[in-house]
Amino acid sequence: MATQGQVITCKAAVAWEPNKPLVIEDVQVAPPQAGEVRVKILYTALCHTDAYTWSGKDPEGLFPCVLGHEAAGIVESVGEGVTHVQRGDHVIPCYQAECGECKFCKSGKTNLCGKVRAATGVGVMMSDRKSRFSINGKSIYHFMGTSTFSQYTVVHDVSVAKIDPVAPLEKVCLLGCGVPTGLGAVWNTAKVEPGSIVAVFGLGTVGLAVAEGAKAAGASRIIGIDIDSKKFDRAKNFGATEFINPKEHEKPIQQVIVDLTDGGVDYSFECIGNVSVMRAALECCHKGWGTSVIVGVAASGQEISTRPFQLVTGRVWKGTAFGGFKSRSQVPLLVDKYLKKEIKVDEYITHNMTLTDINKAFDLMHDGECLRVVLDMFV
Ligand SMILES: NC(=O)c1ccc[n+]([C@@H]2O[C@H](COP(=O)([O-])OP(=O)(O)OC[C@H]3O[C@@H](n4cnc5c(N)ncnc54)[C@H](O)[C@@H]3O)[C@@H](O)[C@H]2O)c1
Ligand SMILES: N[C@@H](CCC(=O)N[C@@H](CSCO)C(=O)NCC(=O)O)C(=O)O
Ligand SMILES: [Zn+2]
Ligand SMILES: [Zn+2]
């Protein structure tokens, strides 16, 4: 039955309130308006940023909402004026848009895009500042411009990347967030050179992708730091060459690393979201040139600090969103790299579950063995 132009009723996991279990509801998804795309989401993974917003600590978190931003699917229909994708295209929704026309996109200095950010930060669509999700007339907010915990979602056309239809959607859904973030933090944000010494704080999906990116960039030493030593063995497969558990040292971790590296590392990456670790990551960098990249997302109200002398003496503090990748143009290239076996993706998937089990899937994320859980949306 043709669904174009019709409201679709489908299953979605709704976050009614912070920290309360998600509820699988029958949600009405309105047709896409001008400049919008309705996507049938086939697979979605869970990211720690979903858990962060769900916890109530995200200043942009609005409830009730449909969370989710790491997914893949097929275009069901497009609104007026949409030309770069059409019904049937295989796509990855992109929480970081790319319009190609705004001040940010044209700057050549950033992957951030300003076209729809004001709307995606408040859970609505740009054209009428309304949501396309509702339950029996009650409006439900969008999240990050993606809301992939729904069998159907509506996104802005600037927030969807068309990919090679050969790619397995149950795998490449991961290219919507965590893996590109880690790889790009190394390749685009830090621009790690061959021979560099790298420190990675946090060996979850993002930290492991940093290690993978650093190995590909030719780093000579990749030091993995985690408070859970069980993470170390697996991290070797992603490129980490040595490991430190801060709990096994009395000295501050930055001092331990400086002592081990003749004055500090060339590049460090904070992949946890802990502001004390962000400080340590900066302070373990080499005087004169060491660069530290903040990747982890810290809760509302948290602030970073260090002695300004750390920067006066040449260390550089940076951050990255989606690893600096321009989403619509570069996500398809990452998919191609995966198909050519140039980057890992399957190795980050530790669990496969269904939408119905989404609360159990979030519980699993606290399990030390878990990297990414992929949900099949239609089982
Ligand atoms: N900037 C971006 O674009 C972007 C994109 C995706 C995810 N993120 C953020 O990146 C962070 C990491 O995501 P993830 O999925 O890899 O998370 P994760 O929870 O799987 O991994 C975090 C790791 O840090 C370790 N850890 C916790 N506290 C530590 C400490 N004090 N010292 C050392 N290690 C510690 C944990 O044991 C775990 O292995 C999250 O904050 C997430 O929200 C940012
Ligand atoms: N609303 C949050 C922002 C959190 C944040 O920093 N998000 C990252 C992506 S995390 C993906 O897992 C990001 O890309 N930020 C840039 C942007 O949102 O435009 C808060 O305010 O804390
Ligand atoms: Zn994410
Ligand atoms: Zn733009």
Side-chain angles (χ1 to χ4, degrees):
M1 198 178 74
T3 48
Q4 290 118 301
Q6 311 290 313
V7 171
I8 293 177
T9 297
C10 67
K11 300 289 180 197
V14 175
W16 287 101
E17 287 176 67
N19 272 323
K20 294 279 161 62
L22 303 181
V23 184
I24 305 297
E25 303 276 10
D26 286 317
V27 170
Q28 284 77 52
V29 185
Q33 296 195 5
E36 298 174 2
V37 180
R38 191 161 58 184
V39 180
K40 181 177 186 179
I41 299 292
L42 293 174
Y43 296 94
T44 187
L46 277 52
C47 172
H48 283 83
T49 308
D50 298 309
Y52 158 69
T53 302
W54 184 20
S55 75
K57 292 179 185 154
D58 178 356
E60 291 186 308
L62 294 166
F63 297 86
C65 70
V66 177
L67 297 164
H69 63 282
E70 192 173 295
I74 298 178
V75 173
E76 175 272 336
S77 60
V78 301
E80 202 187 312
V82 175
T83 54
H84 80 276
V85 289
Q86 60 182 13
R87 180 176 165 80
D89 283 347
H90 288 209
V91 292
I92 291 182
C94 303
Y95 77 83
Q96 191 56 250
E98 181 189 355
C99 76
E101 293 161 0
C102 74
K103 187 177 175 180
F104 292 90
C105 285
K106 287 209 289 211
S107 72
K109 296 178 179 180
T110 178
N111 66 328
L112 302 181
C113 170
K115 176 99 183 263
V116 296
R117 186 64 182 82
T120 59
V122 291
V124 295
M125 300 304 288
M126 198 70 193
S127 62
D128 57 359
R129 313 290 290 187
K130 289 195 175 131
S131 173
R132 303 288 170 262
F133 293 110
S134 59
I135 297 180
N136 301 326
K138 179 174 173 50
S139 183
I140 310 290
Y141 288 110
H142 294 246
F143 169 67
M144 286 175 84
T146 50
S147 289
T148 62
F149 295 164
S150 175
Q151 292 175 325
Y152 287 84
T153 190
V154 176
V155 301
H156 298 98
D157 60 351
V158 293
S159 307
V160 65
K162 179 176 165 177
I163 61 165
D164 187 335
V166 165
L169 298 178
E170 69 275 23
K171 309 286 188 204
V172 296
C173 55
L174 264 63
L175 296 176
C177 183
V179 173
T181 298
L183 296 175
V186 176
W187 298 342
N188 306 319
T189 310
K191 298 188 171 65
V192 168
E193 308 94 358
S196 303
I197 304 179
V198 169
V200 190
F201 290 80
L203 298 173
T205 297
V206 176
L208 293 178
V210 164
E212 184 187 351
K215 182 179 179 188
S220 61
R221 293 175 68 184
I222 302 169
I223 306 169
I225 300 117
D226 205 295
I227 49 171
D228 180 357
S229 300
K230 289 198 298 297
K231 309 272 174 164
F232 296 163
D233 247 1
R234 176 169 62 195
K236 285 183 197 156
N237 301 331
F238 290 82
T241 58
E242 51 203 284
F243 300 96
I244 307 175
N245 184 336
K247 287 184 171 169
E248 291 169 5
H249 295 267
E250 286 191 355
K251 281 194 273 182
I253 187 66
Q254 50 269 58
Q255 192 56 52
V256 174
I257 296 169
V258 166
D259 292 347
L260 273 174
T261 54
D262 187 26
V265 302
D266 300 304
Y267 297 97
S268 72
F269 298 85
E270 198 280 355
C271 307
I272 302 161
N274 177 319
V275 291
S276 311
V277 180
M278 290 174 190
R279 178 177 193 149
L282 175 79
E283 296 179 357
C284 77
C285 284
H286 203 287
K287 183 177 177 178
W289 63 77
T291 295
S292 186
V293 180
I294 292 175
V295 190
V297 171
S300 171
Q302 300 276 296
E303 294 184 348
I304 49 171
S305 62
T306 191
R307 276 192 71 205
F309 186 64
Q310 292 284 334
L311 305 186
V312 166
T313 50
R315 292 169 196 83
V316 177
W317 220 346
K318 293 179 137 184
T320 193
F322 197 52
F325 282 116
K326 283 188 174 270
S327 59
R328 275 206 295 144
S329 49
Q330 292 188 289
V331 166
L333 304 180
L334 288 170
V335 170
D336 295 345
K337 269 183 168 298
Y338 165 70
L339 291 173
K340 286 189 271 178
K341 301 192 188 312
E342 291 172 9
I343 58 170
K344 298 185 198 296
V345 171
D346 305 16
E347 292 82 349
Y348 294 92
I349 300 171
T350 52
H351 300 80
N352 291 278
M353 297 175 85
T354 63
L355 176 63
T356 337
D357 281 332
I358 191 163
N359 288 299
K360 282 187 210 148
F362 271 106
D363 288 343
L364 260 177
M365 283 170 75
H366 305 299
D367 176 325
E369 299 300 313
C370 180
L371 292 174
R372 282 303 196 248
V373 187
V374 172
L375 304 182
D376 184 332
M377 298 297 285
F378 282 89
V379 171

Short mmCIF file of all heavy atoms in Angstrom, two decimals, residues 124-153:
data_model
loop_
_atom_site.label_atom_id
_atom_site.label_comp_id
_atom_site.label_asym_id
_atom_site.label_seq_id
_atom_site.Cartn_x
_atom_site.Cartn_y
_atom_site.Cartn_z
N VAL A 124 12.35 20.24 16.89
CA VAL A 124 11.29 20.48 15.89
C VAL A 124 11.91 20.54 14.49
O VAL A 124 13.13 20.54 14.33
CB VAL A 124 10.55 21.81 16.17
CG1 VAL A 124 9.79 21.73 17.49
CG2 VAL A 124 11.51 23.01 16.16
N MET A 125 11.02 20.63 13.48
CA MET A 125 11.48 20.80 12.10
C MET A 125 11.52 22.28 11.78
O MET A 125 10.77 23.09 12.33
CB MET A 125 10.56 20.05 11.13
CG MET A 125 10.49 18.55 11.37
SD MET A 125 12.08 17.68 11.36
CE MET A 125 12.50 17.72 9.63
N MET A 126 12.46 22.62 10.87
CA MET A 126 12.78 24.02 10.59
C MET A 126 11.60 24.80 9.98
O MET A 126 11.33 25.94 10.37
CB MET A 126 13.95 24.03 9.59
CG MET A 126 14.70 25.32 9.49
SD MET A 126 15.62 25.61 11.00
CE MET A 126 16.05 27.30 10.75
N SER A 127 10.85 24.17 9.05
CA SER A 127 9.92 24.94 8.23
C SER A 127 8.78 25.55 9.05
O SER A 127 8.44 26.72 8.85
CB SER A 127 9.33 24.06 7.12
OG SER A 127 8.61 23.00 7.69
N ASP A 128 8.21 24.79 9.98
CA ASP A 128 7.07 25.31 10.76
C ASP A 128 7.31 25.22 12.27
O ASP A 128 6.39 25.46 13.05
CB ASP A 128 5.79 24.54 10.40
CG ASP A 128 5.95 23.03 10.64
OD1 ASP A 128 7.04 22.59 11.07
OD2 ASP A 128 4.98 22.29 10.42
N ARG A 129 8.55 24.89 12.65
CA ARG A 129 8.92 24.75 14.07
C ARG A 129 7.98 23.79 14.80
O ARG A 129 7.67 23.95 15.99
CB ARG A 129 8.92 26.13 14.79
CG ARG A 129 9.66 27.21 14.03
CD ARG A 129 11.15 27.01 14.00
NE ARG A 129 11.80 27.22 15.26
CZ ARG A 129 13.11 27.24 15.43
NH1 ARG A 129 13.92 27.05 14.40
NH2 ARG A 129 13.64 27.42 16.61
N LYS A 130 7.54 22.76 14.08
CA LYS A 130 6.68 21.75 14.71
C LYS A 130 7.32 20.37 14.56
O LYS A 130 8.21 20.17 13.72
CB LYS A 130 5.31 21.73 14.03
CG LYS A 130 4.50 22.97 14.34
CD LYS A 130 3.04 22.76 13.97
CE LYS A 130 2.23 23.95 14.41
NZ LYS A 130 1.37 24.45 13.33
N SER A 131 6.80 19.43 15.34
CA SER A 131 7.28 18.05 15.26
C SER A 131 6.44 17.28 14.24
O SER A 131 5.27 17.59 14.03
CB SER A 131 7.15 17.39 16.63
OG SER A 131 7.45 16.02 16.51
N ARG A 132 7.05 16.26 13.64
CA ARG A 132 6.29 15.37 12.76
C ARG A 132 5.82 14.13 13.52
O ARG A 132 5.14 13.29 12.96
CB ARG A 132 7.16 14.92 11.56
CG ARG A 132 7.71 16.06 10.73
CD ARG A 132 6.67 16.77 9.89
NE ARG A 132 7.23 17.98 9.33
CZ ARG A 132 7.06 19.21 9.85
NH1 ARG A 132 6.28 19.40 10.91
NH2 ARG A 132 7.65 20.25 9.30
N PHE A 133 6.22 14.00 14.78
CA PHE A 133 5.79 12.85 15.60
C PHE A 133 4.64 13.25 16.52
O PHE A 133 4.69 14.32 17.16
CB PHE A 133 6.92 12.39 16.54
CG PHE A 133 8.12 11.79 15.85
CD1 PHE A 133 9.32 12.48 15.82
CD2 PHE A 133 8.05 10.53 15.26
CE1 PHE A 133 10.44 11.92 15.21
CE2 PHE A 133 9.17 9.96 14.66
CZ PHE A 133 10.37 10.67 14.63
N SER A 134 3.66 12.37 16.63
CA SER A 134 2.60 12.61 17.63
C SER A 134 2.01 11.27 18.06
O SER A 134 2.16 10.25 17.37
CB SER A 134 1.51 13.51 17.06
OG SER A 134 0.95 12.91 15.92
N ILE A 135 1.36 11.31 19.21
CA ILE A 135 0.62 10.13 19.69
C ILE A 135 -0.78 10.61 20.01
O ILE A 135 -0.97 11.41 20.94
CB ILE A 135 1.28 9.50 20.93
CG1 ILE A 135 2.69 9.01 20.58
CG2 ILE A 135 0.42 8.36 21.47
CD1 ILE A 135 3.44 8.36 21.74
N ASN A 136 -1.73 10.17 19.21
CA ASN A 136 -3.13 10.59 19.37
C ASN A 136 -3.24 12.10 19.56
O ASN A 136 -3.90 12.58 20.47
CB ASN A 136 -3.78 9.86 20.56
CG ASN A 136 -3.73 8.37 20.36
OD1 ASN A 136 -3.83 7.89 19.22
ND2 ASN A 136 -3.53 7.62 21.44
N GLY A 137 -2.52 12.84 18.74
CA GLY A 137 -2.62 14.31 18.75
C GLY A 137 -1.62 15.00 19.67
O GLY A 137 -1.42 16.21 19.58
N LYS A 138 -0.97 14.25 20.57
CA LYS A 138 0.04 14.87 21.45
C LYS A 138 1.39 14.86 20.75
O LYS A 138 1.88 13.81 20.33
CB LYS A 138 0.14 14.11 22.78
CG LYS A 138 1.20 14.71 23.70
CD LYS A 138 1.22 14.07 25.06
CE LYS A 138 2.38 14.56 25.92
NZ LYS A 138 2.56 16.01 26.01
N SER A 139 1.99 16.05 20.66
CA SER A 139 3.25 16.19 19.95
C SER A 139 4.42 15.58 20.75
O SER A 139 4.49 15.72 21.98
CB SER A 139 3.50 17.68 19.71
OG SER A 139 4.66 17.84 18.97
N ILE A 140 5.32 14.91 20.05
CA ILE A 140 6.51 14.29 20.66
C ILE A 140 7.73 14.94 20.00
O ILE A 140 7.79 15.01 18.77
CB ILE A 140 6.56 12.76 20.38
CG1 ILE A 140 5.22 12.08 20.72
CG2 ILE A 140 7.73 12.10 21.09
CD1 ILE A 140 4.90 12.00 22.18
N TYR A 141 8.69 15.38 20.78
CA TYR A 141 9.85 16.07 20.21
C TYR A 141 10.78 15.14 19.41
O TYR A 141 10.92 13.96 19.74
CB TYR A 141 10.70 16.69 21.33
CG TYR A 141 10.07 17.89 21.97
CD1 TYR A 141 9.59 17.83 23.29
CD2 TYR A 141 9.96 19.10 21.29
CE1 TYR A 141 9.02 18.93 23.90
CE2 TYR A 141 9.38 20.21 21.90
CZ TYR A 141 8.91 20.12 23.20
OH TYR A 141 8.35 21.21 23.79
N HIS A 142 11.41 15.74 18.39
CA HIS A 142 12.52 15.07 17.70
C HIS A 142 13.77 15.21 18.59
O HIS A 142 13.78 15.98 19.56
CB HIS A 142 12.82 15.77 16.37
CG HIS A 142 11.72 15.67 15.35
ND1 HIS A 142 11.88 14.98 14.18
CD2 HIS A 142 10.46 16.18 15.33
CE1 HIS A 142 10.77 15.06 13.47
NE2 HIS A 142 9.88 15.79 14.14
N PHE A 143 14.85 14.51 18.19
CA PHE A 143 16.13 14.56 18.93
C PHE A 143 17.28 14.58 17.93
O PHE A 143 17.35 13.72 17.03
CB PHE A 143 16.23 13.33 19.84
CG PHE A 143 17.59 13.12 20.46
CD1 PHE A 143 18.08 14.02 21.40
CD2 PHE A 143 18.37 12.03 20.11
CE1 PHE A 143 19.34 13.83 21.98
CE2 PHE A 143 19.62 11.83 20.69
CZ PHE A 143 20.10 12.73 21.62
N MET A 144 18.15 15.54 18.06
CA MET A 144 19.36 15.67 17.23
C MET A 144 19.03 15.68 15.73
O MET A 144 19.89 15.35 14.90
CB MET A 144 20.38 14.56 17.54
CG MET A 144 21.09 14.76 18.87
SD MET A 144 22.18 13.39 19.32
CE MET A 144 23.67 13.80 18.45
N GLY A 145 17.78 15.98 15.39
CA GLY A 145 17.40 16.01 13.97
C GLY A 145 17.36 14.63 13.34
O GLY A 145 17.34 14.52 12.10
N THR A 146 17.34 13.57 14.16
CA THR A 146 17.40 12.21 13.61
C THR A 146 16.31 11.26 14.17
O THR A 146 15.64 10.60 13.39
CB THR A 146 18.79 11.58 13.87
OG1 THR A 146 19.09 11.74 15.26
CG2 THR A 146 19.87 12.23 13.02
N SER A 147 16.18 11.19 15.51
CA SER A 147 15.14 10.35 16.15
C SER A 147 15.01 8.97 15.52
O SER A 147 13.97 8.60 14.97
CB SER A 147 13.78 11.07 16.09
OG SER A 147 13.77 12.16 16.96
N THR A 148 16.08 8.20 15.66
CA THR A 148 16.11 6.91 14.95
C THR A 148 15.54 5.74 15.76
O THR A 148 15.54 4.61 15.27
CB THR A 148 17.55 6.58 14.51
OG1 THR A 148 18.36 6.46 15.70
CG2 THR A 148 18.11 7.65 13.60
N PHE A 149 15.06 6.02 16.98
CA PHE A 149 14.41 4.93 17.73
C PHE A 149 12.94 4.81 17.32
O PHE A 149 12.06 4.54 18.15
CB PHE A 149 14.52 5.15 19.24
CG PHE A 149 15.93 5.09 19.79
CD1 PHE A 149 16.21 5.59 21.07
CD2 PHE A 149 16.98 4.53 19.07
CE1 PHE A 149 17.49 5.54 21.60
CE2 PHE A 149 18.27 4.47 19.59
CZ PHE A 149 18.53 4.98 20.86
N SER A 150 12.68 5.05 16.03
CA SER A 150 11.32 4.94 15.48
C SER A 150 11.44 4.21 14.15
O SER A 150 12.43 4.40 13.42
CB SER A 150 10.75 6.34 15.26
OG SER A 150 9.49 6.25 14.62
N GLN A 151 10.43 3.40 13.84
CA GLN A 151 10.48 2.66 12.56
C GLN A 151 10.45 3.61 11.36
O GLN A 151 10.94 3.28 10.29
CB GLN A 151 9.33 1.65 12.48
CG GLN A 151 9.49 0.50 13.48
CD GLN A 151 8.30 -0.43 13.51
OE1 GLN A 151 7.16 0.01 13.34
NE2 GLN A 151 8.56 -1.72 13.74
N TYR A 152 9.83 4.77 11.55
CA TYR A 152 9.89 5.83 10.52
C TYR A 152 10.24 7.13 11.22
O TYR A 152 9.79 7.40 12.33
CB TYR A 152 8.53 5.99 9.80
CG TYR A 152 8.24 4.85 8.86
CD1 TYR A 152 7.66 3.68 9.33
CD2 TYR A 152 8.56 4.93 7.51
CE1 TYR A 152 7.40 2.60 8.48
CE2 TYR A 152 8.31 3.86 6.65
CZ TYR A 152 7.73 2.71 7.14
OH TYR A 152 7.50 1.66 6.30
N THR A 153 11.07 7.94 10.55
CA THR A 153 11.41 9.25 11.10
C THR A 153 11.42 10.27 9.97
O THR A 153 11.51 9.90 8.79
CB THR A 153 12.78 9.21 11.83
OG1 THR A 153 12.97 10.44 12.54
CG2 THR A 153 13.95 9.03 10.86
#
